[in-house]
Amino acid sequence: MALKSIADIKLENVWGKVSPETKQEAIKFWVDEKVLSEEAAEQRADELLFIARDTDNKIIAVSTAIKMRVKLLNDNLLYQYRCFISPKARVVGFDVHLTKLSLQFLEEVAKSEEVQKPIGVFVVVINPKLNTNKINNQAVWRAYKMYFIGFNTKGQPIRVYYFKGAKI
């Protein structure tokens, strides 16, 4: 799996069309990487958005989203976005690329929602390494236009990205 750049990574949009085989691969990926229990991974697999594969066709990263009401944000509907990239596959710019692609896709999906239209995306920043440097501690993550809005009860930062035309 000698990844040198983003060009070595194959991204696949699986939103709403994940096969049972891919779902099992994603569950195994999370469990093997020790980021989720099998039970939590099975639940999260229903939220799969993008899957990234290396040159050996092995999953190296995933992004997920689920629509939910967010009390902190006036009880509006937003997508909760998560992503995990295997430490062995963290090449420069990959996290930005995966997240931007995911945000763009979710904004397009939201445009077609008729009844329960989400107004944006929020993230809870779980990885402590993303909170220990000058760039990631800024009020706005410029690469994504995500704004810091506070902390959850565990002290983890929460950020929000609003879709164009969102009414708050």
Side-chain angles (χ1 to χ4, degrees):
M1 168 187 55
L3 296 174
K4 295 181 185 107
S5 73
I6 294 172
D8 295 329
I9 299 167
K10 180 181 133 200
L11 281 167
E12 179 186 3
N13 182 325
V14 295
W15 180 260
K17 57 185 180 217
V18 61
S19 70
E21 297 80 21
T22 301
K23 187 174 179 177
Q24 287 308 308
E25 276 184 275
I27 291 167
K28 183 176 178 350
F29 169 69
W30 280 311
V31 172
D32 289 352
E33 292 282 344
K34 298 177 177 37
V35 292
L36 293 175
S37 68
E38 187 155 349
E39 183 180 324
E42 285 178 20
Q43 290 176 333
R44 188 81 49 90
D46 290 331
E47 304 166 12
L48 283 165
L49 182 54
F50 281 91
I51 288 181
R53 296 180 184 276
D54 65 12
T55 52
D56 296 327
N57 211 35
K58 299 254 190 276
I59 293 178
I60 55 166
V62 294
S63 68
T64 64
I66 186 169
K67 192 183 341 178
M68 60 187 350
R69 292 213 174 271
V70 182
K71 189 174 183 98
L72 178 67
L73 298 170
N74 298 329
D75 217 24
N76 279 301
L77 273 172
L78 287 94
Y79 290 107
Q80 180 178 16
Y81 172 75
R82 297 179 177 111
C83 74
F84 176 74
I85 300 170
S86 172
K88 296 173 266 189
R90 293 180 182 165
V91 297
V92 174
F94 180 36
D95 56 337
V96 173
H97 182 68
L98 176 60
T99 298
K100 283 177 111 175
L101 194 64
S102 297
L103 293 175
Q104 289 166 358
F105 178 76
L106 289 171
E107 189 157 8
E108 285 303 310
V109 169
K111 285 179 186 175
S112 66
E113 294 278 352
E114 296 293 326
V115 180
Q116 296 192 331
K117 190 181 216 91
I119 63 167
V121 175
F122 79 100
V123 298
V124 176
V125 184
I126 296 170
N127 184 343
K129 291 179 183 173
L130 293 179
N131 304 315
T132 56
N133 66 49
K134 197 169 152 180
I135 293 171
N136 289 325
N137 280 336
Q138 292 182 349
V140 180
W141 280 355
R142 288 186 287 182
Y144 317 110
K145 295 184 176 77
M146 276 192 172
Y147 297 87
F148 171 76
I149 59 167
F151 296 95
N152 67 9
T153 56
K154 295 178 183 175
Q156 298 162 323
I158 303 169
R159 293 189 172 265
V160 66
Y161 167 82
Y162 287 110
F163 297 148
K164 187 176 181 176
K167 303 240 188 302
I168 304 170

